[in-house]
């Protein structure tokens, strides 16, 4: 007997072919798997970024509150300002005019001086200013506590230029009295009676009023 050979023989896949099939299958799955991983990664990064934005927003809001608080404190501090419009009180200086501003921080204060048509002789602190009780028509004693005698040439003296102008600041003064105490007190300017004299007289005067009030503020309070 002869064995009949079939035209079609079924061959079992070799080990090499099985490995090839597996690799091909993995190649098909890999892009989909990587896509899912990338989506998760992007979503995770977005969540982290959103959290960072929220944190930054909180910090900005906190800083904004701090800035507003500081602004309120500064504006409150600015309210502690007294102003005196200075006019002449002497025949030799009929054109004398200007403003004195006092900036208070508790009992301590700074003074800003801006005067025109003053004596031209104020070159050695011959001129000075003082706060006095009373008003410009009826001046009383200098306004300070016994242990704060500051109204003299040494502490509040100032100079003028050749045109009789005075402009500058006096810092860190204390008279023992604060902003409220000094309202409606007289700001007095002292200087030589004339350019040829050394006698110091009252040259100008103005009433101290809150910065945002009119010059008749003290009259209205009486």
């Amino acid at each position: 007997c002869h064995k009949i050979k079939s035209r079609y023989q079924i061959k079992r896949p070799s080990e090499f072919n099985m490995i090839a099939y597996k690799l091909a299958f993995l190649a098909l799955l890999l892009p989909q798997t990587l896509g899912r991983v990338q989506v998760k990664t992007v979503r995770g990064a977005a969540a982290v970024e959103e959290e960072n934005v929220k944190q930054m927003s909180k910090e900005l809001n906190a800083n904004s509150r701090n800035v507003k608080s500081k602004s309120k404190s500064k504006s409150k501090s600015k309210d502690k300002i007294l102003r005196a419009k200075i006019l002449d009180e002497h025949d030799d200086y009929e054109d004398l005019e200007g403003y004195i501003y006092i900036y208070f921080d508790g009992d301590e204060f700074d003074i800003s001086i801006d005067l025109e048509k003053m004596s031209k002789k104020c070159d050695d602190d011959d001129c000075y200013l003082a706060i006095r009780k009373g008003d410009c028509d009826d001046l009383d004693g200098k306004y300070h506590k016994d242990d704060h005698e500051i109204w003299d040439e040494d502490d509040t003296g100032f100079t003028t230029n050749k045109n009789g102008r005075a402009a500058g600041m006096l810092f860190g003064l204390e008279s023992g009295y604060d902003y409220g105490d000094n309202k409606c007190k007289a700001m007095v300017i002292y200087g030589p009676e004339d350019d040829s004299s050394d006698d110091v007289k009252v040259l100008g005067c103005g009433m101290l009023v809150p910065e945002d009030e009119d010059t008749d503020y003290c009259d209205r309070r009486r």
Side-chain angles (χ1 to χ4, degrees):
C1 282
H2 297 282
K3 291 183 180 180
I4 300 173
K5 292 183 179 180
S6 171
R7 293 175 56 189
Y8 304 100
Q9 293 183 1
I10 300 175
K11 296 182 179 180
R12 296 181 63 185
S14 67
E15 184 178 352
F16 175 80
N17 288 339
M18 289 296 293
I19 292 173
Y21 294 151
K22 289 180 180 180
L23 289 175
F25 182 71
L26 288 174
L28 290 174
L29 290 179
L30 187 60
Q32 298 179 8
T33 305
L34 287 175
R36 287 195 294 270
V37 171
Q38 288 175 353
V39 169
K40 289 182 180 180
T41 303
V42 169
R43 287 178 181 171
V48 171
E49 183 64 23
E50 183 178 0
E51 185 63 28
N52 289 338
V53 169
K54 287 181 180 178
Q55 183 62 29
M56 289 173 65
S57 178
K58 288 180 181 179
E59 291 176 359
L60 287 173
N61 288 336
N63 290 336
S64 177
R65 285 194 295 271
N66 290 337
V67 169
K68 288 180 181 178
S69 176
K70 290 179 181 178
S71 297
K72 288 180 181 178
S73 299
K74 288 183 179 179
S75 63
K76 185 176 180 181
S77 175
K78 287 182 179 178
D79 289 340
K80 303 298 185 182
I81 301 174
L82 294 178
R83 180 192 78 242
K85 182 177 182 179
I86 304 299
L87 297 174
D88 71 280
E89 292 289 332
H90 197 285
D91 293 339
D92 290 336
Y93 300 98
E94 293 180 353
D95 295 327
L96 189 157
E97 63 179 358
Y99 286 92
I100 301 293
Y101 285 85
I102 307 182
Y103 303 86
F104 286 88
D105 183 6
D107 289 346
E108 187 172 305
F109 53 87
D110 303 329
I111 297 179
S112 169
I113 302 170
D114 186 5
L115 300 171
E116 294 183 349
K117 306 300 182 182
M118 271 284 298
S119 169
K120 300 174 185 178
K121 198 176 180 181
C122 299
D123 56 358
D124 293 315
D125 292 340
D126 298 310
C127 301
Y128 69 97
L129 52 82
I131 295 177
R132 291 179 62 168
K133 294 177 279 187
D135 57 43
C136 292
D137 294 325
D138 185 19
L139 292 172
D140 205 341
K142 293 179 179 178
Y143 190 57
H144 59 77
K145 291 188 176 179
D146 292 340
D147 55 346
H148 291 81
E149 297 184 12
I150 64 169
W151 305 121
D152 54 35
E153 298 91 334
D154 293 331
D155 292 311
T156 58
F158 61 90
T159 61
T160 56
N161 64 15
K162 62 181 181 179
N163 297 316
R165 175 169 172 75
M169 293 285 296
L170 301 172
F171 296 99
L173 300 170
E174 290 186 60
S175 66
Y177 295 111
D178 61 13
Y179 168 82
D181 298 326
N182 282 281
K183 285 182 183 178
C184 293
K185 298 299 186 293
M187 173 58 72
V188 181
I189 308 301
Y190 291 91
E193 188 169 10
D194 58 49
D195 288 338
S196 62
S197 172
D198 291 328
D199 296 332
V200 175
K201 301 288 184 181
V202 173
L203 303 186
C205 183
M207 299 303 293
L208 288 166
V209 301
E211 184 188 24
D212 57 351
E213 293 287 348
D214 295 328
T215 53
D216 64 348
Y217 171 81
C218 298
D219 294 332
R220 290 186 278 112
R221 290 188 65 190
R222 292 171 183 165

